[in-house]
């Protein structure tokens, strides 16, 4: 099976489905870790609606969607703030396609897009319980750094020089 990665409008139905799946997973993991329960459905709906993804619209950002065998399988976002490092966000794959190389492909495509926009450095943040993400970033050459933002859910910050 073949992977493809291409830009996707942040407000497309495909993007909306991937955002919902991503947010549901990371929210449920947080609540299970800290409160022993899944996310309250009402809260989940409010949070999904509150974060439109407009920060991933060109030229200030980009949403990439990976497809596996032609079907939407995952996403990665790149924020491109003027005069600052590019920021990697929303790296996600549906569970049934994990372990097939899609995450590394998405991150590399995000790096290429950031380079093409003139960025020389990529930063990101993640949580401690997202051990798979932390391992991926380390494997792809990201080094853990000091905090670069005040996100209340961030526990680990990474950076990579794009060269």
């Amino acid at each position: 099976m073949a992977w493809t990665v291409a830009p996707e409008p942040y407000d497309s139905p495909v993007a909306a489905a991937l955002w919902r799946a991503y947010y549901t997973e990371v929210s449920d993991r947080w609540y299970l870790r800290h409160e022993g329960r899944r996310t309250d459905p009402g809260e989940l709906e409010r949070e999904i609606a509150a974060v439109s993804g407009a920060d991933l619209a060109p030229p200030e950002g980009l949403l990439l969607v990976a497809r596996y065998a032609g079907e939407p399988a995952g996403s990665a976002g790149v924020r491109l703030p003027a005069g600052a490092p590019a920021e990697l966000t929303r790296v996600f794959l549906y569970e049934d396609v994990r372990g097939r190389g899609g995450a590394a492909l998405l991150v590399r495509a995000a790096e290429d897009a950031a380079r093409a926009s003139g960025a020389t450095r990529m930063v990101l943040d993640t949580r401690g319980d997202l051990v798979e993400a932390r391992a991926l970033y380390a494997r792809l050459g990201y080094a853990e750094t000091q905090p670069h933002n005040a996100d209340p859910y961030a526990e680990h910050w990474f950076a990579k020089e794009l060269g």
Side-chain angles (χ1 to χ4, degrees), residues 1-130:
M1 298 287 176
W3 285 99
T4 60
V5 176
E8 179 82 21
Y10 76 91
D11 56 354
S12 75
V14 167
L18 285 161
W19 169 235
R20 174 174 290 282
Y22 167 86
Y23 192 80
T24 299
E25 182 172 329
V26 298
S27 182
D28 279 352
R29 284 176 75 160
W30 192 89
Y31 276 109
L32 286 167
R33 177 182 178 200
H34 294 282
E35 297 184 13
R37 65 172 178 88
R38 295 196 180 280
T39 310
D40 172 82
E43 179 183 359
L44 184 67
E45 292 308 315
R46 285 189 302 277
E47 290 301 315
I48 287 171
V51 183
S52 70
D55 59 332
L56 301 178
E60 293 84 23
L62 179 68
L63 179 66
L64 298 169
V65 168
R67 286 177 167 75
Y68 185 73
E71 294 298 318
S75 63
V78 182
R79 292 185 188 112
L80 300 164
E87 183 179 1
L88 183 64
T89 186
R90 291 194 192 184
V91 177
F92 173 76
L93 287 174
Y94 287 126
E95 190 172 355
D96 63 335
V97 294
R98 292 178 187 166
R100 299 178 189 186
L105 186 69
L106 272 165
V107 172
R108 288 188 181 112
E111 292 170 355
D112 289 345
R115 269 190 217 92
S117 77
T120 59
R121 182 180 172 135
M122 181 86 84
V123 297
L124 64 94
D125 64 69
T126 191
R127 296 191 329 232
D129 62 317
L130 301 177

Side-chain angles (χ1 to χ4, degrees), residues 79 87 123-126 146-152 154-157:
R79 292 185 188 112
E87 183 179 1
V123 297
L124 64 94
D125 64 69
T126 191
Q146 293 298 312
H148 60 264
N149 63 25
D151 184 324
E155 298 170 314
H156 297 270
W157 293 262

